[in-house]
Amino acid sequence: MRPTWDEYFMEIANVAKKRSTCSRRQVGAVIVKEKRILSTGYNGVPTGIKHCDEVGCLRDKLKIPSGERHELCRGLHAEQNAIVNAANFGVSLKGSILYSTTQPCILCTKMIINAGIEKVVYENGYPDGLSLEMLKEAGIELLQI
């Protein structure tokens, strides 16, 4: 059966997450406008930095729960990488839709709002109520599938 557009782009986000080098969670993101892919991303360290699967996870070592103390992570989230990748190529995200395999955290939410992304579609929840509140307050449509 032919997938809906949401199913199609979410499937691509699920393929993107396979590139993740995070030892805790693999996340993929795709940003789309007018049914065309603008950018993709997955969670992992900045370019040229050793991957967490090589040097270990600081958050695991410190027993930091999911959704807390994001600043103690070597990696960027999939949504952040997708936004940065678009910026590196001069691609505006205004009016776009972000598909993510996981609900955005508060850090990603702030970037999503300022990037002009109008809708977020995600699969799995994430323990970050503030991100949901801010997305709603910013008028960004949110859909879990």
Side-chain angles (χ1 to χ4, degrees), residues 16-17 26-31 39-44 76-85 98-101 108:
K17 81 178 186 181
Q26 285 68 50
V27 180
V30 176
I31 303 175
S39 184
T40 65
Y42 53 87
N43 56 329
L76 287 93
H77 289 183
E79 303 93 330
Q80 293 169 328
N81 270 325
I83 291 169
V84 169
N85 288 338
L98 182 139
Y99 291 84
S100 180
T101 59
C108 293

Side-chain angles (χ1 to χ4, degrees), residues 88-108:
N88 279 335
F89 290 97
V91 177
S92 172
L93 302 179
K94 190 171 183 71
S96 64
I97 301 171
L98 182 139
Y99 291 84
S100 180
T101 59
T102 301
Q103 171 200 315
C105 73
I106 188 59
L107 298 176
C108 293

